[in-house]
Amino acid sequence: MKIGIFAPSTSRQAQILRRELEAISSECVVFLDSELTERHQAAVGNGRVYWNDEPLDDIDGLYCHGFDYQDPVLPPADPLCDWGLWQIGPVIAQQRYSFLFSLLSRVESAGTPMINPLSILVSAFARYTLLDRVKRAGFAVPNLICTNDGAAVDAFTERFSTAVWRPVTGRAAWQLFRSKQRQHLIGVEKPPVMIAEVVPGPLVRVYVVDGVVTLAVAINPPVRAKVETLETFVPAPSKCVEQLAPVGAAMTALGVRFAMATVVLSEQGPVIYDIDPDPVLTDMPETFAVLVLRQLACALLRRPISVMPPDLEAETRPALLLRRMLGIQFDMEATKYAEAS
């Protein structure tokens, strides 16, 4: 069996997955550096796909990480570029993206099981579309709209007095939608945003591998006490994990093999607020990241997936010295101005 990992060579998440794959099995692991530097040669032709002269269309499983949709018309913003001059960088980046898209498409068309399918990875830039597909499949999502029209927003917020918003790309957490957000976010000259009702219930992040809930955690916000702490990850109790089974079924219905879903456990059952088909795990405590990546390795090796173990303990992300020092500085500034007044 030959397993492929398509990710940047600097990805710690990909390296942990590689370690877990090699710990479970001695099968061959091919690491495909998505940065596509001069050290790596890739080719598509003659009915085959090659990476450093090794055929890829005969691999038994491929994990893609960090391959995001790239708009062919609008180049990514770069504050270091003078956009009054013609820029070749975005053109080269688009050519690279197009080639890698072709390469992965050929690998997928050869029948290689991919985590996740290419169509899911590139559609993740429009989170509203994924949530709409979840709803059409018969699973619960909140009432939400995606718009920049002021009248539509006003009608929605009159219906749901408490609402949250986020960009359609998903590159920000859900945040409360107030009059200030209405003023600065909504307008015909601005991009649409998603606005959703607030469903009562605990908020849980659910990590699903091949339809199985491998980890479910609630995240307590940072605490500023004598010693500052960052987010605390609290494993959901076994009863909650059982209630989250529809989330795994929803991912299977969408063809999503691996994802993080943001879910509210309401009285009527889980309500899905977000689906991330390429979640970053290395910002979690390593115990949790390794647990999920071990199950992902099992999925690639076609071995049974284990549900979330019941004996997990809560863990806190280690505090950053810089954040602590900034807190001290803010305290000093506050004291200075208090004395001045």
Side-chain angles (χ1 to χ4, degrees):
M1 181 174 285
K2 182 166 65 174
I3 303 299
I5 299 176
F6 179 85
S9 59
T10 55
S11 168
R12 182 166 162 264
Q13 180 165 316
Q15 296 297 343
I16 294 175
L17 176 62
R18 182 176 191 172
R19 183 188 70 197
E20 292 300 317
L21 282 165
E22 293 173 344
I24 296 173
S25 172
S26 59
E27 306 293 346
C28 177
V29 178
V30 181
F31 197 102
L32 316 176
D33 185 2
S34 60
E35 296 298 329
L36 201 63
T37 64
E38 63 276 4
R39 296 182 293 107
H40 306 283
Q41 303 296 321
V44 178
N46 299 323
R48 303 300 302 271
V49 181
Y50 297 92
W51 189 276
N52 292 341
D53 297 327
E54 182 170 9
L56 294 182
D57 43 5
D58 61 348
I59 61 178
D60 301 287
L62 179 65
Y63 168 61
C64 292
H65 177 55
F67 186 72
D68 298 325
Y69 171 81
Q70 184 171 322
D71 194 308
V73 178
L74 297 176
D78 186 347
L80 300 180
C81 285
D82 177 3
W83 291 104
L85 302 175
W86 191 78
Q87 299 291 335
I88 194 173
V91 178
I92 295 174
Q94 182 56 233
Q95 289 179 333
R96 172 184 164 277
Y97 171 81
S98 298
F99 173 73
L100 291 176
F101 184 89
S102 298
L103 183 140
L104 293 174
S105 297
R106 289 290 294 269
V107 171
E108 187 174 31
S109 64
T112 299
M114 293 181 63
I115 299 178
N116 278 303
L118 191 57
S119 59
I120 295 294
L121 292 176
V122 298
S123 67
F125 77 98
R127 297 297 175 85
Y128 181 85
T129 302
L130 287 178
L131 291 175
D132 185 61
R133 290 178 58 188
V134 171
K135 183 178 180 180
R136 291 174 182 272
F139 298 92
V141 300
N143 289 293
L144 76 161
I145 57 172
C146 179
T147 185
N148 63 353
D149 179 72
V153 170
D154 292 340
F156 187 86
T157 52
E158 285 180 9
R159 183 183 174 195
F160 304 103
S161 57
T162 305
V164 289
W165 78 277
R166 75 183 308 193
V168 292
T169 59
R171 293 186 180 275
W174 286 103
Q175 305 163 62
L176 283 175
F177 187 82
R178 304 181 187 273
S179 57
K180 186 175 183 180
Q181 282 73 32
R182 167 67 176 83
Q183 177 183 355
H184 293 284
L185 292 173
I186 306 303
V188 293
E189 77 285 1
K190 298 176 181 179
V193 297
M194 290 193 297
I195 305 175
E197 66 168 326
V198 174
V199 175
L203 187 68
V204 184
R205 288 187 180 181
V206 185
Y207 297 84
V208 177
V209 178
D210 279 348
V212 179
V213 175
T214 60
L215 178 66
V217 291
I219 299 179
N220 293 340
V223 175
R224 186 173 182 181
K226 292 182 178 179
V227 178
E228 183 183 73
T229 61
L230 296 185
E231 295 88 348
T232 300
F233 289 67
V234 184
S238 299
K239 182 179 179 180
C240 289
V241 174
E242 294 173 2
Q243 296 173 346
L244 290 167
V247 179
M251 298 304 102
T252 300
L254 264 63
V256 177
R257 298 188 60 190
F258 173 49
M260 186 276 290
T262 303
V263 178
V264 167
L265 272 172
S266 71
E267 293 181 354
Q268 289 72 37
V271 180
I272 300 174
Y273 272 77
D274 182 41
I275 299 169
D276 184 355
D278 187 19
V280 175
L281 304 177
T282 47
D283 286 338
M284 295 194 298
E286 187 162 348
T287 302
F288 297 143
V290 170
L291 185 151
V292 175
L293 289 170
R294 186 173 297 136
Q295 301 312 312
L296 186 59
C298 290
L300 285 164
L301 294 169
R302 303 177 189 177
R303 300 197 177 191
I305 311 299
S306 300
V307 298
M308 173 179 164
D311 55 350
L312 290 177
E313 297 182 356
E315 292 196 30
T316 301
R317 292 175 61 195
L320 302 178
L321 177 62
L322 178 59
R323 280 182 58 123
R324 183 58 179 155
M325 294 306 295
L326 282 174
I328 294 172
Q329 183 177 355
F330 291 151
D331 288 340
M332 292 170 62
E333 292 294 311
T335 302
K336 180 175 67 176
Y337 287 109
E339 293 174 350
S341 61

